[in-house]
Amino acid sequence: MLGMSANSVSYNEQGSVESGVDAAQENSSIPASISSGGALKKLVYVYLVRYAEEQQDLALLSISTFQRALKDPNQLIRASALRVLSSIRVPIIVPIMMLAIKEAATDLSPYVRKTAAHAIQKLYSLDPDQKEHLIEVIEKLLKDKSTLVAGSVVMAFEEVCPDRIDLIHKNYRKLCNLLVDVEEWGQVVIIHMLTRYARTQFVSPWREDAVFDENSEKAFYDSEEERRVDQSKPYIMDPDHRLLLRNTKPLLQSRNTAVVMAVSQLYWHLAPKHELSIITKSLVRLLRSHREVQYIVLQNIATMSIQRKGMFEPFMKSFYVRSTDATHIKTLKLEILTNLANEASISTILREFQTYVKSQDKAFAAATIQAIGCCATNISEVTDTCLNGLVLLLSNRDETVVAESVVVIKKLLQTQPSQHSDIIKHMAKLFDNITVPMARASILWLMGEYCEHVPKIAPDVLRKMAKTFTDEEDIVKLQIVNLAAKLYLTNSKQTKLLTQYILNLGKYDQNYDIRDRTRFIRQLIVPNEKSGALSKYARRILMAPKPAPVLQSAFKDRDRFQLGTLSHTLNSQASGYLELSDWPAVAPDQSVRNVEVVEPVRLPYLRLVLNCFCVHVESVSESESKENSDDSNKSSSSQSEKSSSESDSEKKKKTLKNKKLQQQKPDSKDSLNYYLPPQIIQKTLNIMTKYILIHIVLSISTPFFVNCMCSLLHLCVFLACQFDAVSWPVHVSLQASSPVFVPETSHELLHRMTGKGLSAQYRFTRQPCIYGNSMVSLQLTLSNSTDQALENIHISEKSSTGQNIHRFNAIERLEPQASVTVSMGVDFNDSTQAANFQLCTKEDEFSVSIQPAVGELLLPITMSEADFTKEQGKLVGMNESSATITMMPENVSSQSVNRKVVSVANLGVIPSGQENIYRFAGKTVSSGSLVLVSVALKDPDAVITINTEKTVMGSMLLRQVKTALTNSGP
């Protein structure tokens, strides 16, 4: 209920396929007036989707238009065309849809690939026979590194092939690391999928001898013989298991309720028991939301509270009922309070229940009485107190309260009937005033079951019932017959005639159940010639001791369903529900999740091969021309030939020397350095070989071949990259420049009070990190404010989170009142997620975290204004974020704009030939993605535009730049 189906399709997005719709209107004879507005064009899409099955000719006429739109340069148009095409449910176009999905899966735009993932589910619902082909597309999209695609492709995986766990192995760690940056509904889907995956790949962490050392390497090298005696060895948590728990923990702070609920169920099903307490506060926080959210959350808390009472005992007041709560919310809170009740808190809970009994909500009051009965059953110390309180409720004016009290008292009296005969007598006296059928039937059952404890009162009650038998409800009549039969067996002298009278009345009753019961009882207790041997055991049958009923929570058995699912809410298995598997006894091979890292190869090596071939062609050309000249000068003397040969040898030496220099130094005119993987190199060589052979045949003796080699090389690289555009793109290396502004502000890492005299501060140096190209450089200042020296100050190797951290060398000794400055590097993976680690001394460990600002995850670069405009044109649509602000008068100058932007983000200033337009460029430290910022002043407003593939970083940077430019002061 908290999730959203990925199959839903929206038709109100900007950038719809306008040109495609126009062509469809022409082909399908739709009036031209419809093309007057974009909104009406979208209505054509809706019409096609809705009526395609009924008017298949209309749908088929529009297919060619959508196919053309799939090639449009605008990514929004391509995505919209695919969305509409996949929504047309006509089986005849399934092959066209399959081809479109395969092409879109390799599109350069992550938004189009995301739409392809959505289309997979639609095609699978239309034609399940395409499953194998769709799995191939899913497998390719699972390798996609874009956060925009991850959630959608996992949803497609869950719909098409949820049992193909092998597709997740290689992508498991990537999905765990991307989880924080994925959009919210994608996070929900991924978390549920990873929960199922973890239950099949890791062993249970709920063992008593568990050791939670996720950095221990011992588990990686266990032999087969050691695994056979696994029971004798302590449990060590798999590092991938810990990675999942660690990367989902920050999502407990999400604003989306479904995300918090998904993480909570993941911890409930996967985390060690001593770590479950971290989800408690997040779940309690959700109780402040809407009542629909409260209902789902309270249901899950009710299930958890049965097994883990200690989780929610500190927050018991959060479950007190409020007057504004709906009845179903009140009932769930009662259920939770009942589950949390123990010897220490029962007095407080019973006082709360006394107030609830007086509620005007009759259903809630009745549920409260049931809760009191459950508390009395579960906690024997308060059974008598609860019984006395329920007896007092028998004099309540509300019939519903009295009736429910009688029913609960009846259940409680079955535990100790001999000690509560006074209560039975009191209930008999109130019998005439009780009109609710269930309550009257309960009293009659008690009279018959324990008639030996009230031998004088029970016959009198039967006498009164004989008078009103015909006016009673059916459930009451059945209990009157039972009471008469039991009194006939135990006190036949006083009740024999009454029993016969009641049996005669029941014999002619209108209800066939009562007539059948009467005939059975008569044959059982009144022996005659027709009676069989069964009448001898009448007393043992009717007066057999009954087991006391067990009052238990309605959520006791719901833990068989996964928390947060529809099946858990309904307490019944819903269609499409995937059960969680049991923990494996022995963990499967964890090496299946290892991913091979392929080092990139520089293109200059490829150019070297080509240059060698070019030099060889030049030498061949020169030798041919030399032979022609020698033929024409046969009359030359031998001395001239000797001198000519000597000059030739000198030329060859110079040629070889130039060739070596050319091999060592790339062409100075080429300002771009390409980095290509081996797959692209191989494809380039194959294509280039074919083109070289063609040119050899056509123009081996002309300079044309030599002159076109450079262009040919670029063409071959382009063609090779097109075959693998998504997996192996060609990246242009961006030259980093020195930072324009370096802030001197330091941030507190560890306070001296928390660190027992050790304090630490850090600042971002904005310089390239010497420890790794993907790391952010930081400078730490450690100070000792105590009167004793601190020894062995270092960063724990076991404490780093998902980020790669280069630790500083351990400081052996820090004298009192002394300070030391060290440097370190952190790979934040282009995310503002904090890097958590432990700063240690010889005696203590302190948990600290470094929270980076988005501007510190960049490096400044230099480029020309033309290159800036060109790259900015490529990063449009989903990759562009903009906002209009009102500038303060003191911020309008160029110096002020530059100073404020570079103070927020580590960007380089791009020279601009236009007034009132300021440009800044940088690249992300980890992935090297371009980040372009432009500020256009339009008095008195300013338009801020940020272009980058990292859409999340772009939106965060936009907010910070807006704040800097709108605030006055430095």
Side-chain angles (χ1 to χ4, degrees):
M1 295 175 68
L2 296 178
M4 182 179 69
S5 173
N7 294 332
S8 59
V9 183
S10 173
Y11 294 98
N12 56 356
E13 300 180 32
Q14 294 181 353
S16 299
V17 195
E18 296 182 4
S19 60
V21 174
D22 291 340
Q25 291 171 350
E26 295 174 1
N27 293 337
S28 56
S29 302
I30 298 176
S33 59
I34 295 181
S35 62
S36 59
L40 291 178
K41 295 177 182 179
K42 298 186 180 81
L43 290 178
V44 176
Y45 287 173
V46 179
Y47 181 85
L48 285 173
V49 173
R50 171 64 180 83
Y51 295 102
E53 295 184 36
E54 301 175 7
Q55 302 183 20
Q56 296 190 10
D57 294 340
L58 174 63
L60 295 177
L61 287 173
S62 62
I63 298 303
S64 59
T65 302
F66 294 128
Q67 287 180 298
R68 287 196 298 272
L70 290 171
K71 306 295 183 181
D72 195 276
N74 191 328
Q75 60 175 353
L76 298 180
I77 293 181
R78 297 198 302 273
S80 298
L82 179 60
R83 181 182 298 110
V84 178
L85 182 63
S86 60
S87 299
I88 299 176
R89 302 186 60 82
V90 178
I92 197 174
I93 66 170
V94 166
I96 298 176
M97 293 170 59
M98 177 59 70
L99 290 175
I101 291 174
K102 288 183 177 181
E103 291 181 4
T106 59
D107 196 279
L108 294 178
S109 168
Y111 181 65
V112 178
R113 302 199 297 272
K114 175 186 179 73
T115 308
H118 290 169
I120 290 174
Q121 306 165 62
K122 302 176 189 175
L123 179 55
Y124 179 70
S125 64
L126 180 62
D127 186 5
D129 294 337
Q130 302 293 327
K131 180 176 180 179
E132 295 302 324
H133 300 288
L134 294 175
I135 290 177
E136 295 176 2
V137 181
I138 291 174
E139 184 176 7
K140 188 169 186 177
L141 287 176
L142 280 172
K143 300 175 183 178
D144 200 301
K145 296 181 180 180
S146 173
T147 56
L148 197 64
V149 183
S152 300
V153 67
V154 171
M155 187 65 199
F157 170 82
E158 291 283 80
E159 290 289 334
V160 178
C161 52
D163 55 334
R164 288 291 303 274
I165 297 296
D166 57 292
L167 300 180
I168 306 298
H169 290 323
K170 298 294 184 183
N171 305 288
Y172 172 80
R173 293 169 186 167
K174 182 197 69 176
L175 290 174
C176 290
N177 292 323
L178 291 180
L179 196 55
V180 176
D181 297 321
V182 176
E183 46 92 17
E184 294 171 335
W185 297 113
Q187 289 174 345
V188 176
V189 176
I190 295 175
I191 290 173
H192 279 281
M193 185 274 292
L194 292 179
T195 303
R196 291 194 306 107
Y197 177 86
R199 286 294 287 263
T200 63
Q201 301 299 313
F202 309 127
V203 295
S204 173
W206 301 336
R207 287 171 46 179
E208 296 180 358
D209 57 349
V211 177
F212 301 99
D213 184 6
E214 62 270 21
N215 292 317
S216 175
E217 297 182 358
K218 188 175 181 180
F220 287 92
Y221 304 101
D222 285 345
S223 64
E224 293 297 330
E225 294 179 359
E226 290 173 340
R227 290 182 182 178
R228 293 194 188 106
V229 293
D230 183 64
Q231 297 300 326
S232 62
K233 297 182 60 178
Y235 164 83
I236 298 178
M237 178 172 282
D238 191 293
D240 288 329
H241 191 172
R242 174 57 64 188
L243 175 67
L244 176 59
L245 295 176
R246 183 171 58 236
N247 286 11
T248 53
K249 182 179 178 181
L251 297 180
L252 289 172
Q253 310 300 325
S254 175
R255 296 175 298 175
N256 189 294
T257 307
V259 175
V260 178
M261 194 65 245
V263 178
S264 300
Q265 67 84 24
L266 180 140
Y267 265 77
W268 178 257
H269 293 295
L270 301 181
K273 293 182 179 179
H274 69 274
E275 297 183 16
L276 287 178
S277 57
I278 66 174
I279 68 175
T280 307
K281 290 184 179 180
S282 300
L283 289 174
V284 173
R285 172 174 61 87
L286 299 182
L287 298 180
R288 303 171 187 159
S289 187
H290 305 291
R291 62 176 59 181
E292 294 81 9
V293 174
Q294 292 182 42
Y295 178 72
I296 300 298
V297 174
L298 287 172
Q299 278 197 328
N300 289 274
I301 292 178
T303 302
M304 296 179 185
S305 61
I306 295 175
Q307 299 181 19
R308 306 285 295 177
K309 293 185 179 181
M311 287 177 56
F312 300 97
E313 282 181 357
F315 304 93
M316 190 169 60
K317 291 185 178 180
S318 299
F319 304 107
Y320 285 174
V321 175
R322 297 174 180 161
S323 58
T324 56
D325 289 336
T327 302
H328 60 283
I329 301 297
K330 295 178 181 178
T331 306
L332 285 173
K333 287 186 175 180
L334 274 179
E335 193 76 39
I336 296 172
L337 289 175
T338 305
N339 295 338
L340 297 179
N342 53 29
E343 293 79 359
S345 60
I346 186 61
S347 58
T348 304
I349 292 177
L350 286 179
R351 283 197 301 269
E352 193 74 15
F353 285 173
Q354 289 177 4
T355 305
Y356 300 162
V357 170
K358 301 175 184 177
S359 173
Q360 298 298 320
D361 189 344
K362 306 305 178 186
F364 173 55
T368 304
I369 296 173
Q370 288 282 357
I372 294 174
C374 290
C375 293
T377 303
N378 299 333
I379 306 173
S380 58
E381 290 81 356
V382 297
T383 302
D384 294 338
T385 304
C386 293
L387 264 177
N388 294 332
L390 292 173
V391 171
L392 293 177
L393 292 177
L394 293 176
S395 58
N396 195 289
R397 296 180 181 179
D398 190 348
E399 292 183 358
T400 305
V401 174
V402 175
E404 199 64 36
S405 301
V406 170
V407 174
V408 175
I409 290 173
K410 169 215 166 189
K411 295 178 180 178
L412 294 178
L413 287 180
Q414 288 184 253
T415 58
Q416 298 174 337
S418 59
Q419 301 178 12
H420 302 290
S421 57
D422 294 338
I423 296 178
I424 298 176
K425 294 177 182 178
H426 182 69
M427 295 173 67
K429 293 177 182 179
L430 297 174
F431 185 80
D432 294 337
N433 298 327
I434 297 174
T435 59
V436 178
M438 180 57 72
R440 291 173 67 86
S442 298
I443 294 176
L444 291 175
W445 186 90
L446 283 173
M447 292 294 168
E449 188 69 18
Y450 308 114
C451 57
E452 296 178 350
H453 298 286
V454 285
K456 296 182 180 179
I457 297 178
D460 190 57
V461 172
L462 181 62
R463 178 182 59 81
K464 293 180 179 179
M465 290 294 96
K467 294 180 180 180
T468 61
F469 181 87
T470 56
D471 299 328
E472 299 290 346
E473 295 291 334
D474 293 340
I475 188 174
V476 179
K477 291 179 181 179
L478 290 173
Q479 293 304 324
I480 293 173
V481 173
N482 288 342
L483 175 60
K486 293 175 181 179
L487 288 177
Y488 182 86
L489 295 175
T490 58
N491 190 3
S492 60
K493 292 182 180 180
Q494 292 183 334
T495 60
K496 183 177 182 179
L497 295 177
L498 278 174
T499 301
Q500 292 179 353
Y501 175 72
I502 290 173
L503 291 178
N504 289 331
L505 291 175
K507 182 179 179 181
Y508 300 103
D509 195 86
Q510 294 181 352
N511 188 288
Y512 57 85
D513 287 333
I514 298 174
R515 295 197 301 269
D516 292 344
R517 176 71 62 86
T518 302
R519 293 191 185 96
F520 169 72
I521 293 295
R522 185 188 295 275
Q523 296 296 325
L524 184 63
I525 66 175
V526 182
N528 52 38
E529 297 178 356
K530 297 181 180 179
S531 300
L534 194 62
S535 60
K536 299 178 182 179
Y537 305 100
R539 187 178 183 87
R540 294 177 61 181
I541 293 174
L542 294 177
M543 304 302 294
K546 279 72 172 182
V550 179
L551 299 178
Q552 62 184 12
S553 172
F555 291 85
K556 185 174 181 59
D557 297 328
R558 290 204 185 189
D559 57 352
R560 68 183 187 275
F561 297 113
Q562 184 178 353
L563 296 184
T565 60
L566 180 62
S567 298
H568 177 269
T569 302
L570 301 177
N571 196 23
S572 177
Q573 184 166 333
S575 176
Y577 173 73
L578 300 174
E579 293 185 358
L580 284 179
S581 60
D582 296 330
W583 295 100
V586 178
D589 183 14
Q590 58 184 354
S591 63
V592 296
R593 291 184 289 276
N594 295 338
V595 180
E596 296 182 1
V597 179
V598 180
E599 294 294 333
V601 179
R602 286 180 178 269
L603 186 62
Y605 293 108
L606 181 62
R607 186 185 292 116
L608 231 111
V609 177
L610 186 59
N611 289 339
C612 294
F613 186 80
C614 292
V615 172
H616 175 69
V617 172
E618 290 178 358
S619 63
V620 171
S621 303
E622 291 176 1
S623 63
E624 290 178 355
S625 61
K626 187 186 302 289
E627 291 177 358
N628 294 333
S629 62
D630 290 341
D631 292 340
S632 62
N633 298 323
K634 289 183 180 180
S635 61
S636 301
S637 65
S638 60
Q639 184 178 0
S640 64
E641 291 178 355
K642 183 176 180 181
S643 61
S644 176
S645 62
E646 289 178 354
S647 62
D648 291 341
S649 62
E650 291 178 359
K651 287 182 179 180
K652 289 182 179 179
K653 290 181 180 179
K654 291 181 180 180
T655 303
L656 292 175
K657 185 176 180 180
N658 292 334
K659 181 181 69 173
K660 291 180 180 180
L661 292 175
Q662 191 173 6
Q663 292 175 358
Q664 295 175 359
K665 182 179 179 181
D667 188 2
S668 60
K669 295 181 180 180
D670 192 358
S671 60
L672 298 178
N673 287 327
Y674 294 93
Y675 298 89
L676 297 177
Q679 289 86 340
I680 298 297
I681 296 294
Q682 185 62 39
K683 293 179 181 178
T684 304
L685 289 174
N686 294 338
I687 298 175
M688 187 176 64
T689 303
K690 296 178 182 178
Y691 277 88
I692 288 174
L693 292 176
I694 294 173
H695 283 289
I696 289 175
V697 174
L698 296 179
S699 54
I700 189 62
S701 60
T702 64
F704 173 77
F705 174 68
V706 177
N707 295 334
C708 72
M709 291 309 295
C710 184
S711 300
L712 174 61
L713 173 63
H714 286 275
L715 175 62
C716 295
V717 172
F718 172 75
L719 294 175
C721 294
Q722 289 300 312
F723 296 149
D724 205 351
V726 176
S727 301
W728 301 102
V730 177
H731 294 288
V732 179
S733 65
L734 304 173
Q735 184 178 1
S737 62
S738 58
V740 180
F741 173 79
V742 179
E744 298 295 333
T745 306
S746 297
H747 308 276
E748 186 177 69
L749 182 66
L750 179 65
H751 192 268
R752 59 184 179 84
M753 298 297 292
T754 307
K756 299 181 180 180
L758 175 64
S759 62
Q761 292 185 330
Y762 68 93
R763 73 180 188 90
F764 296 92
T765 63
R766 292 194 173 183
Q767 299 289 342
C769 185
I770 61 175
Y771 306 118
N773 294 332
S774 62
M775 289 187 174
V776 177
S777 178
L778 295 111
Q779 190 178 80
L780 266 66
T781 302
L782 306 172
S783 303
N784 182 6
S785 59
T786 65
D787 54 358
Q788 297 179 354
L790 297 176
E791 298 180 353
N792 192 20
I793 303 175
H794 64 282
I795 294 177
S796 174
E797 295 181 357
K798 302 179 181 179
S799 57
S800 64
T801 54
Q803 297 92 342
N804 182 21
I805 298 179
H806 186 279
R807 302 166 179 83
F808 59 83
N809 295 329
I811 302 172
E812 296 181 358
R813 184 180 180 86
L814 184 61
E815 299 296 334
Q817 307 301 324
S819 299
V820 64
T821 300
V822 294
S823 61
M824 63 180 294
V826 181
D827 186 357
F828 289 100
N829 295 320
D830 294 342
S831 171
T832 56
Q833 181 181 0
N836 301 316
F837 55 92
Q838 288 184 327
L839 186 62
C840 307
T841 62
K842 183 178 180 180
E843 300 176 351
D844 300 298
E845 294 183 355
F846 310 103
S847 297
V848 296
S849 64
I850 296 178
Q851 181 72 48
V854 66
E856 305 298 340
L857 304 178
L858 307 174
L859 285 177
I861 61 172
T862 58
M863 62 171 58
S864 64
E865 183 179 4
D867 290 339
F868 184 97
T869 305
K870 181 179 179 181
E871 295 297 332
Q872 190 178 37
K874 299 177 183 178
L875 298 171
V876 294
M878 301 288 291
N879 299 324
E880 182 177 275
S881 303
S882 62
T884 302
I885 60 173
T886 301
M887 297 279 288
M888 301 295 293
E890 59 269 22
N891 296 341
V892 176
S893 65
S894 61
Q895 294 181 352
S896 177
V897 172
N898 291 340
R899 184 180 69 253
K900 285 185 174 293
V901 173
V902 298
S903 64
V904 169
N906 189 17
L907 298 170
V909 179
I910 306 300
S912 176
Q914 297 174 290
E915 295 184 359
N916 299 332
I917 296 182
Y918 308 96
R919 297 182 173 91
F920 309 87
K923 66 176 181 178
T924 59
V925 177
S926 182
S927 64
S929 299
L930 265 178
V931 178
L932 306 178
V933 180
S934 61
V935 180
L937 300 182
K938 300 178 181 179
D939 189 36
D941 298 331
V943 179
I944 306 171
T945 305
I946 297 180
N947 302 84
T948 178
E949 292 179 354
K950 303 289 184 179
T951 54
V952 177
M953 294 183 65
S955 61
M956 297 174 65
L957 183 60
L958 179 63
R959 288 196 297 268
Q960 295 188 9
V961 174
K962 284 172 55 180
T963 304
L965 292 178
T966 53
N967 292 341
S968 59

